[in-house]
Structures are given as C-alpha cells and as structure tokens.
C-alpha cells in the first residue's frame, strides 16, 4: 500500500525552435515506453529530462537538435499542481509557468518567474530548492565526509535515483554511487536518507587528525606568542614580579588606613564648612538688625527735635495769651506795638481758650516725648547688645576659619597619599593580572599539547543501518522475483561495495546486460521501498536500456553477450518486467527507454512512444529530422 507522500510526475518533454517543427513526447502517469531503433533520440530524451531537472551537463550536440533552442518540461507537483519549466538549450536559468503551458501559449519574459539552476538553500528562487520544498525535504542536510561535516541536500542528489542513463545502468559502480571518490560519503548519506527518511542535521562534526593537529599547533603557536608578549611586559615593568602578591597584600592594609584618614578629614571639613556657612548667615542677619536699629535711633532723634520745637512754639503762645490777659498798658508781646496802636478783634475769653489749648498740647507732647525717650533708650541698648554679638560672631568665624586653615593641608596630604597609593595599587594590580593571564595561557597550552583527536570510534556512523539495508535487499529480491530473474534471488546488501550481492555473486561481476537489469531492479525496489513506507523519493523513475541483455549481438554497439547475459536472455524476464512495472503504476511513474523487441500486448500495459527510424513509417524519432 502506498503511503500518502508527495511525488513529482513527468507530463511532457518538448523542444521548440523558431523554424523547427515542435518535437515532443508525453508521459503516462503510470508506465511509458519510448521504443525504437538506435539513434532516434530516445537517450537524448532521457538526457533532456535530466537537463530540465537542473543538470549542468550540456545536451549532446547532435545534428537533429541544432534547429531547436528551447526545451519545455511539464510536471505535476504536490503543492503547485501542474507547472511548466522552460530552459534554453544553451543552459542557464529556468522560466517557470504555472499550469500545463505549451509552446505558443506564453510570451517569454512577460511576468514570468525565474528559477536559477544553481542550488541555494537560503534562496527559494532556484529549481533545486523549489522541488525539494515541493517534496517536503527543503531543509534536509547530508554529511559530505566521514567526520560529519555537512551540506544542504540538493535535488541533484536525488536525480541519480530517478534518472538512469544507458551509461550508468550498465556500470560496475553501485547504483547508489557515481564512482567519484570525493563524493562517495555524501552519496551514501543520500541513500541512507532515502531508506530511513532521516537526514544528518543532528550530526555534530568532528575534526580529522590532520586538520586537528594543524589547528592545535596553530593554537599553541598563538599561545606561545601571547605568553612571550606577557613575559616581555613583565620584564620591562615588573622586574620582581614574584613579589607582586605580597606587595598587593601590604598595599591593601596601607591603602585602607590612608582611605580611613582621608574619609575622617573630609567628613570633619565638610561639617565645619556647613557651620561656617550657617555662621556667616547669622552674622549677616544680626548686622541687618543693627542697621535697622541705627536707622530707627536717627529717626527718633529727629522726632525728638520736632517735639522740642513744638513745645517751644506752644509755650510762646501760652505766654502771649497770658500777657494779653493783663490789659493794654504794655506794648504788644508779639509785634511790639504800643498800647495806643493795638487793635483787638477777638475778645479776651477767646485768647484765654487758646492759651489753655496750648498748655494741653504742651502736656501731650511732653508725654509723647517721655515715651520716645524710653524707645530711644531701648534701641540704644539693643544696638549695644547687637554690636557685642556681632563681635562675638566674627571672633567665632575667625576661629573656625583658622581651624579650617589648620586641617585642610592635612586633608590634602591624605588625599595625595591615597592617590599615590591608588596609582601604586593599579600598577601592582595590572602586574598580577598579567601573571594570572600568563598562568591561564600556560594551562591552555598544556591542555592543548596533551589533547588527542577523536578516535575512529568517535566518528559519526554514516552508513545505512544493517537491518534497513537487509530490508531493502529483500525488496530487491521481491522485485527480481516478480521479474522471474533466474536463480534463487537471494539478495544481500554489501557495506564494503555498497552494492548488491545476488545468489552469492557481486552484482558488478556480472555481464553488462545483467548489471543493467539488476541496476534497474535496485532503482525500482528503492522507489517501491520509499513509496510503501512514506519515505522521501521524487516518485518517478526513468530507465534507459534496462533490458540490454536482449540486444542483438550483431547489430548492437555493446557487442556479444556474456554467458550470464545469454542465460538471462533465454528467459521471459522482459515480459514480467513490463507487467510488474504496469502493476506498480499506483506507487510511482515509470519511463522505460528500449530498442529491443517489445513483448506482445505491451500497448495494454504502457503508453508507447515509437520511433521507427524511418520517415516513411510513422514517427521517425524525437525530432522531425531523425531518421
């Protein structure tokens, strides 16, 4: 039963050119067979699919393709549905169109999304990352070496498992590997990823022995340079560096005492300064009062003079009234007029009233004068008191200032002592820091010198788990059984060759025709293994010439058959091969390219694309000029 896992479906491959007849092949969602004579474009179509799925390998420069400049690949995707990729045959980036777009239906470059052919994990505008995300494995990582260093998964890593050209299918190399030593670890990690669904993102890389020793030696050299620099600084500034700890202890006690003395002096000075400020304010207040008293005394003295003047004036009036009351026989006391010249307009009684009023006013002023004298006496007494107080305050202020003058030099000296001790302490502290730093570097150097690289046992296990490999081998055996492959079909997966061993014989030791069919069995089994278990796989498989063993030894470029190929050719394997793929169409899409005689009734099992190789008999080949 097929698990619900996303897959990619090939829909059509089309080539266009300005003056060329459009060349296209379409693919069935199940089984499609490109069948025909040699040199009709079948293998070119396989390479074209690979090219349109991001291969950097240029297409073969055959004569028939020269009239064409673009390739179109229709795909069915899990999330985006039907899409169409367009790429110049000169390679480069892809034009991406939603939907099943055919030539003539779009204007190139108009509102089209461009996908780069170069894989980049951080940028989704490239074909590889786009397809991986469609498969739900866009963030997978694989190990690229035995130490667990990693890189991101590319769709090109999966292409080998779903597009098999005629060279690879008969190769002695494992179907899981390309034969390149430099990439074998990564390719094994990809195969493990397909069989387990687990990538290598959790692996923590280790450093190999050579790199480890280079790195360690580099670190030790750097530490030596740093230690030498510290030694030079100690020699220049601390000739007796060994005594620095004891000097630091002594400085601690001295500095504490000096700081205490400075604190006490500063506290005392601060309190005296506050007292001085308060005293100055009090002096200013008393002097202001003394000034007010002096002003009032002056004003009251002026008032006293006014009182005296008023009394004199009133006494003169009273005396004049008295004289007027004595009669007119005397000269006027006011103007000196003789009696005969005096003329009185007021009566004597009115004069007497005036005299009485003057006396009353004189008495009143005298009472006020007495009160004024009392006030003057009080003010003069207060002024005297204030004067004495001001003298006392100034005396106290002078004494305070003298005290401050006496203690400030001592405080300044304490401050200078503390500053000096601080400079000395900082110098010693820097020396101790250098000693500590040197000791830390020496410890690091010792640890590095004694450190050892991780052993082989510490390296990550990157291979396929044995139980999983055995389970996969049984799937291959089941496929070979479906195909009626001769023998017992006992299959095991050999970790050493990373390949199959069938009935006790290494797969690579067979003839090329047997290697081709067993390579096909490997890839078909892998697709079924992944699809039935819900493991990641593109979901389609293109096989170029899997039935090579059925070739005509006289006409084929591959030549005569080996014994095991002849034995295989004598069976009906090809019949069962196509029947099995047709029955497995619900699990994946299969495209088979062959030039052998097809089994009878193949048209009932697969969609056939037949290239006759003759223009007079049906379709000659992939391109109109094929013949």
């Amino acid at each position: 039963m097929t698990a619900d896992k996303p897959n990619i479906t090939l829909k059509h491959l089309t080539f266009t050119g300005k003056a060329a007849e459009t060349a296209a092949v379409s693919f069935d969602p199940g089984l499609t067979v490109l069948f025909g004579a040699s040199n009709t474009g079948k293998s070119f179509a396989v390479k074209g699919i690979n090219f349109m799925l991001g291969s950097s390998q240029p297409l073969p420069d055959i004569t028939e393709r020269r009239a064409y400049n673009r390739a179109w690949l229709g795909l069915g995707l899990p999330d985006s549905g039907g899409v169409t990729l367009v790429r110049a045959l000169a390679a480069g980036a892809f034009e991406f169109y939603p939907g099943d777009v055919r030539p003539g239906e779009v204007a190139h470059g108009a509102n089209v999304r461009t996908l780069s052919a170069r894989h980049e994990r951080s940028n989704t505008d490239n074909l590889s990352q786009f397809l991986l995300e469609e498969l739900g494995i866009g963030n997978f990582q694989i190990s690229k070496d035995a130490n667990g260093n990693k890189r991101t998964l590319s769709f090109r890593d999966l292409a080998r498992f779903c597009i098999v050209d005629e060279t690879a299918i008969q190769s002695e190399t494992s179907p899981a590997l390309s034969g390149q030593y430099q990439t074998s670890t990564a390719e094994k990690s990809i195969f493990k990823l397909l069989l387990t669904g687990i990538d290598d993102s959790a692996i923590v890389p280790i450093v190999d022995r050579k790199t480890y020793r280079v790195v360690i030696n580099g670190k030790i050299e750097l530490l030596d340079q740093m230690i030498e620099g510290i030694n030079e600084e100690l020699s220049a500034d601390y000739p007796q560096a060994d005594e620095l700890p004891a000097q630091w202890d002594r400085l601690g006690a001295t500095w504490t005492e000096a700081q205490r003395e400075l604190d006490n002096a500063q506290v005392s000075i601060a309190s005296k300064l506050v007292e001085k400020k308060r005293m100055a304010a009090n002096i200013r207040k008393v002097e202001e009062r003394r000034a007010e008293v002096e002003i009032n005394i002056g004003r009251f003295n002026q008032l006293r003079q006014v009182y005296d003047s008023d009394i004199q004036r009133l006494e003169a009036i009273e005396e004049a009234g008295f004289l007027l009351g004595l009669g007119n026989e005397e000269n006027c006391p006011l103007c000196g007029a003789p009696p005969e010249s005096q003329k009185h307009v007021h009566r004597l009684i009115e004069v007497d009233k005036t005299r009485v009023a003057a006396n009353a006013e004189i008495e009143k002023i005298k009472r006020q004068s007495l009160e004024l004298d009392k006030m003057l006496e009080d003010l003069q007494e207060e002024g005297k008191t204030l004067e004495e107080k001001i003298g006392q305050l100034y005396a106290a202020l002078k004494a305070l200032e003298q005290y401050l003058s006496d203690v400030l030099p001592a405080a300044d000296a304490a401050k200078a002592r503390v500053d000096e001790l601080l400079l000395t302490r900082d110098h010693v502290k820097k020396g101790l820091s250098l000693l500590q730093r040197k000791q830390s570097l020496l410890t690091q150097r010792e640890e590095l010198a004694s450190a050892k690289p991780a052993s082989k046992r510490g390296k990550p296990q990157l291979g396929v788990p044995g139980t999983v490999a055995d389970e996969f081998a049984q799937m291959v055996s089941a496929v070979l059984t479906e195909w009626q492959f001769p023998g017992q079909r006992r299959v095991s997966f050999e970790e050493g060759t990373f390949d199959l061993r069938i009935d006790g014989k290494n797969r690579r030791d067979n003839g090329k025709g047997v290697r081709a069919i067993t390579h096909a069995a490997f890839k078909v089994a892998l697709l079924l293994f992944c699809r039935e278990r819900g493991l990641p796989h593109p979901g389609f498989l293109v096989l170029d010439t899997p039935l090579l063993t059925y070739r005509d030894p006289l006409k084929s470029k591959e030549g005569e058959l080996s014994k095991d190929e002849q034995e295989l050719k004598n069976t009906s394997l090809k019949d069962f091969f196509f029947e099995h793929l047709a029955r497995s169409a619900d699990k994946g899409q299969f495209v088979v390219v062959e030039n052998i005689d097809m089994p009878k009734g193949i048209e009932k099992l697969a969609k056939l694309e037949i290239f006759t190789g003759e223009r007079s008999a049906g379709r000659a080949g992939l391109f109109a000029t094929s013949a």
Side-chain angles (χ1 to χ4, degrees), residues 195-213:
L195 290 182
T196 63
I198 301 173
D199 71 341
D200 293 335
S201 57
I203 290 178
V204 178
I206 64 171
V207 180
D208 63 84
R209 284 179 174 270
K210 182 178 179 181
T211 304
Y212 178 84
R213 185 47 57 191

Side-chain angles (χ1 to χ4, degrees), residues 86-130:
V86 181
R87 191 183 193 189
L89 298 190
F94 295 83
E95 293 180 355
F96 173 88
Y97 297 95
D100 185 4
V101 177
R102 300 299 173 128
E105 297 177 356
V106 296
H108 295 292
N111 300 321
V112 60
R113 179 182 178 185
T114 300
L115 297 176
S116 170
R118 184 174 180 272
H119 172 73
E120 187 176 352
R121 169 68 183 88
S122 59
N123 181 5
T124 58
D125 285 335
N126 65 85
L127 180 64
S128 171
Q129 190 62 29
F130 173 75

